[in-house]
């Protein structure tokens, strides 16, 4: 890892602190040519109350295990929100690097691959081995961040 990887991973931690999720705070940053193109954190879509506002986590109340049934959550994942932000504002991310506090799930992996992201750097693991298989098959470089 070089000094730029360190800087961008630090930024993912700052972005994660904006999350309204009660279970896990996740931040993501997409970079091209050492420039931040988009940021995102896990949280409810615009106009939808977050779990913080609701006073409890839907997944916890339903007993849903981490890494499963991602659709049963009010929040969109940080990676999804980062890709959506780039699309919404017409920012080119093809060929970029996605830095994330956590390993992307399989759903996010599919979106990342189709968006043309060529490299993913993450800090914390996530119980979804299938996402790593998808990245490998697609030829997307994935690196676990370690100092």
């Amino acid at each position: 890892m070089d000094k730029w990887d360190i800087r961008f991973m630090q930024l993912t931690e700052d972005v994660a602190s904006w999350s309204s999720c009660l279970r896990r705070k996740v931040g993501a940053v997409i970079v091209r040519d050492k420039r931040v193109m988009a940021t995102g954190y896990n949280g409810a879509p615009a106009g939808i109350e977050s779990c913080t506002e609701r006073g409890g986590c839907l997944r916890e109340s339903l007993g849903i295990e981490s890494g499963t049934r991602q659709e049963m959550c009010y929040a969109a994942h940080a990676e999804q929100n980062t890709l959506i932000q780039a699309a919404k504002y017409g920012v080119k991310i093809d060929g970029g690097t996605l830095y994330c506090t956590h390993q992307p799930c399989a759903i996010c992996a599919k979106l990342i691959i189709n968006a043309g992201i060529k490299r993913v750097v993450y800090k914390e693991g996530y119980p979804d081995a299938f996402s790593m298989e998808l990245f490998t098959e697609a030829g997307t470089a994935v690196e676990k961040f370690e100092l």
Side-chain angles (χ1 to χ4, degrees):
M1 298 286 155
D2 66 14
K3 69 180 182 180
W4 290 102
D5 289 330
I6 295 168
R7 289 175 181 170
F8 294 130
M9 285 304 295
Q10 287 172 338
L11 183 55
T12 66
E13 296 290 343
D14 289 340
V15 173
S17 72
W18 307 338
S19 171
S20 59
C21 183
L22 298 170
R23 262 186 154 179
R24 178 182 287 125
K25 301 208 178 290
V26 181
V29 176
I30 297 175
V31 173
R32 282 189 67 224
D33 302 321
K34 297 180 183 172
R35 301 284 181 252
V36 175
M37 300 286 104
T39 62
Y41 54 89
N42 56 328
I48 305 293
E49 282 189 335
S50 69
C51 288
T52 300
E53 295 165 325
R54 292 171 189 274
C57 174
L58 174 65
R59 294 177 59 79
E60 279 185 10
S61 69
L62 297 174
I64 298 173
E65 187 178 331
S66 182
T68 66
R69 302 197 56 212
Q70 288 92 351
E71 75 282 1
M72 292 303 298
C73 181
Y74 290 109
H77 288 187
E79 303 92 325
Q80 294 166 358
N81 280 327
T82 307
L83 296 168
I84 291 164
Q85 183 186 74
K88 183 175 181 176
Y89 294 106
V91 177
K92 183 178 178 183
I93 57 173
D94 188 43
T97 297
L98 184 138
Y99 293 87
C100 195
T101 55
H102 293 73
Q103 171 195 322
C105 71
I107 294 167
C108 289
K110 294 171 193 177
L111 298 172
I112 291 164
I113 292 163
N114 278 352
I117 299 296
K118 296 300 177 201
R119 179 175 175 241
V120 174
V121 180
Y122 71 94
K123 187 174 180 182
E124 302 292 330
Y126 187 73
D128 191 340
F130 186 54
S131 69
M132 301 306 268
E133 292 177 32
L134 292 168
F135 284 133
T136 298
E137 187 171 337
T140 303
V142 179
E143 300 169 34
K144 185 169 186 337
F145 179 80
E146 296 184 52
L147 288 175

